[in-house]
């Protein structure tokens, strides 16, 4: 039996979706995944063609949640100092002082993150993993909550630097942002062709609320059977032959990392919380598993030749690996 006290903020979360819908149309799934990341402390990698309101969604979310927001456009000539800050000489005091960069915010939009070279990506990696940055000889803790929302453009590959596997693994989920439905795109066209449209969203949640929500999600229970189901899904990507996945074994080069099991557990708890349940269902795990696994499974050249995608392999694993195996 679920406890109503466990869902103190559920009405406000509904208000977040309602307030967001005044500006952003047809991106409820994207917003759901962003909130999962925000409430559980996981970074999100977004992939989709330009014009799908990724930046607008993140910017609007920051206003609704009263969080500091910074958008950083990653380019080939970006330097680590442009991201984290640098030491500058103060002529009045004749001393060097720290000038903090845009990374010192709650929500960071790393736009086209794969357009910057390795040194910049390494600086971002430290911030994502350690929640701190080092400038000169000083180390600074980043404000909480701290969430990196990075975007990749799947169309353009020229002039890009593929993210290292270690950095990709730091993202809790990789979310594919697809085109809108006909009705949603019609609504977007009507709104944006009205040059007087300028809706100001109202703040709904603050930083203290986010910390409290995180505590409530942490209280969601998951049975040992479902914990072991998560582990079986993870091991099925690593040793597919042990699970009778012969076709999938032809294509998988490397399975998912241990971070996959941790993040799948957290994401499933967040989904249960959104549905006002204090326990996780198998459907919660299956719903978020593609987002948690798709950037962690590495396929071989044979998969590329046969036009097999990670999502197809994950779907097959979810269908064939039984609960309580």
């Amino acid at each position: 039996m679920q406890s109503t006290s466990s869902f103190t903020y559920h009405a406000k979360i509904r208000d977040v979706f309602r307030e967001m819908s005044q500006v952003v149309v047809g991106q409820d799934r994207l917003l759901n995944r962003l909130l999962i990341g925000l409430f559980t402390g996981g970074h999100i990698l977004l992939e989709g063609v330009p014009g799908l309101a990724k930046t607008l969604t993140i910017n609007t979310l920051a206003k609704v949640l009263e969080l500091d927001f910074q958008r950083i456009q990653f380019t080939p000539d970006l330097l680590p100092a442009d991201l984290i800050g640098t030491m500058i000489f103060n002529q009045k005091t004749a001393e060097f002082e720290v000038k903090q960069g845009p990374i010192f915010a709650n929500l960071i939009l790393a736009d086209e993150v794969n357009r910057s070279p390795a040194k910049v990506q390494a600086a971002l990696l430290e911030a994502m993993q350690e929640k701190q940055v080092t400038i000169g000889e000083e180390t600074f803790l980043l404000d909480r909550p701290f969430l990196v929302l990075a975007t990749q453009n799947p169309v353009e590959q020229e002039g890009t630097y593929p993210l290292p596997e270690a950095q990709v693994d730091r993202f809790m989920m990789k979310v594919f942002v697809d085109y809108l439905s006909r009705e949603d795109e019609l609504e977007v066209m009507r709104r944006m062709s009205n040059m007087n449209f300028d809706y100001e969203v109202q703040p709904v949640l603050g930083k203290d609320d986010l910390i409290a929500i995180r505590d409530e999600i942490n209280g969601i229970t998951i049975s040992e059977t479902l914990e072991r189901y998560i582990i079986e899904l993870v091991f099925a990507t690593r040793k597919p032959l042990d699970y009778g996945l012969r076709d999938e074994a032809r294509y998988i080069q490397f399975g998912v990392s241990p971070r996959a099991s941790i993040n799948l557990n957290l994401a499933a708890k967040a989904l249960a919380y959104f549905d006002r349940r204090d326990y996780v269902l198998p459907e919660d795990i299956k719903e978020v598993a593609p987002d948690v696994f798709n950037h962690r499974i590495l396929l071989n050249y044979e998969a590329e030749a046969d036009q097999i995608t990670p999502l197809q392999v994950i779907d097959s694993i979810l269908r064939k690996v039984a609960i309580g195996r």
Side-chain angles (χ1 to χ4, degrees):
M1 184 173 179
Q2 62 191 33
S3 169
T4 55
S5 62
S6 299
F7 307 105
T8 310
Y9 293 91
H10 199 266
K12 285 194 173 184
I13 292 175
R14 287 202 309 269
D15 291 341
V16 169
F17 277 89
R18 185 175 64 248
E19 198 67 22
M20 292 287 296
S21 68
Q22 303 299 317
V23 177
V24 181
V25 177
Q27 295 293 4
D28 284 351
R29 180 178 174 275
L30 170 59
L31 178 57
N32 176 278
R33 298 306 190 257
L34 293 179
L35 289 178
I36 287 176
L38 191 63
F39 293 159
T40 60
H43 308 289
I44 307 294
L45 180 61
L46 306 177
E47 186 166 297
V49 298
L52 297 181
K54 297 187 293 294
T55 302
L56 176 64
T57 301
I58 296 168
N59 193 359
T60 306
L61 181 62
K63 295 177 181 177
V64 173
L65 301 182
E66 288 191 292
L67 298 176
D68 295 329
F69 170 74
Q70 288 286 352
R71 176 183 178 274
I72 306 171
Q73 180 65 52
F74 280 62
T75 57
D77 60 348
L78 196 71
L79 298 174
D82 299 326
L83 180 68
I84 65 173
T86 188
M87 304 289 292
I88 60 172
F89 186 73
N90 187 326
Q91 292 183 337
K92 291 183 179 179
T93 62
E95 294 179 348
F96 282 95
E97 298 177 350
V98 172
K99 178 178 174 57
Q100 295 183 344
I103 198 72
F104 288 88
N106 299 121
L107 277 184
I108 302 295
L109 173 57
D111 225 348
E112 296 189 293
V113 66
N114 57 332
R115 288 202 174 276
S116 288
K119 285 186 178 181
V120 177
Q121 294 177 3
L124 180 65
L125 179 63
E126 181 192 6
M128 289 171 58
Q129 182 63 23
E130 308 298 336
K131 304 293 193 300
Q132 65 182 31
V133 297
T134 302
I135 305 174
E137 297 181 352
E138 292 188 67
T139 299
F140 300 88
L141 295 178
L142 296 169
D143 194 16
R144 303 295 178 93
F146 174 73
L147 186 67
V148 173
L149 307 169
T151 69
Q152 285 189 149
N153 181 349
V155 178
E156 299 179 50
Q157 299 300 325
E158 186 176 348
T160 61
Y161 301 82
L163 295 177
E165 299 304 330
Q167 185 165 336
V168 172
D169 192 42
R170 259 68 174 190
F171 289 100
M172 180 183 194
M173 292 185 285
K174 180 180 179 181
V175 181
F176 292 97
V177 186
D178 206 351
Y179 288 111
L180 300 176
S181 67
R182 288 181 175 84
E183 292 303 316
D184 286 337
E185 189 147 347
L186 177 63
E187 177 62 24
V188 170
M189 182 184 68
R190 286 171 174 167
R191 286 190 190 183
M192 303 313 294
S193 60
N194 176 7
M195 291 183 283
N196 293 324
F197 177 78
D198 185 25
Y199 182 84
E200 283 293 326
V201 295
Q202 301 301 312
V204 176
L205 294 170
K207 293 180 183 179
D208 292 340
D209 297 326
L210 300 183
I211 295 172
I213 290 172
R214 185 170 298 183
D215 290 339
E216 291 189 355
I217 291 175
N218 199 42
I220 301 293
T221 59
I222 178 169
S223 67
E224 183 179 349
T225 299
L226 291 184
E227 286 179 335
R228 293 189 178 278
Y229 176 54
I230 290 175
I231 299 302
E232 296 301 331
L233 291 175
V234 167
F235 272 75
T237 69
R238 300 173 187 169
K239 299 180 179 181
L241 289 176
D242 292 353
Y243 295 80
L245 302 169
R246 298 189 178 277
D247 292 336
E248 294 75 13
R250 291 173 47 209
Y251 300 126
I252 298 176
Q253 185 173 7
F254 293 105
V256 300
S257 73
R259 287 192 181 94
S261 56
I262 298 169
N263 289 325
L264 184 51
N265 185 306
L266 289 170
K269 287 181 178 179
L271 272 187
Y273 180 77
F274 290 164
D275 286 341
R276 294 183 65 86
R277 281 182 282 107
D278 59 5
Y279 55 89
V280 173
L281 293 175
E283 289 73 20
D284 299 322
I285 296 171
K286 292 179 179 180
E287 182 176 338
V288 291
D291 298 313
V292 175
F293 281 6
N294 73 75
H295 57 302
R296 292 183 165 97
I297 288 184
L298 296 184
L299 304 185
N300 55 28
Y301 290 109
E302 188 174 351
E304 185 177 351
D306 292 345
Q307 296 184 323
I308 300 295
T309 67
L311 288 177
Q312 291 173 304
V313 173
I314 295 165
D315 179 66
S316 182
I317 290 173
L318 290 173
R319 283 188 287 105
K320 295 178 181 179
V321 176
I323 299 174
R325 177 181 181 274

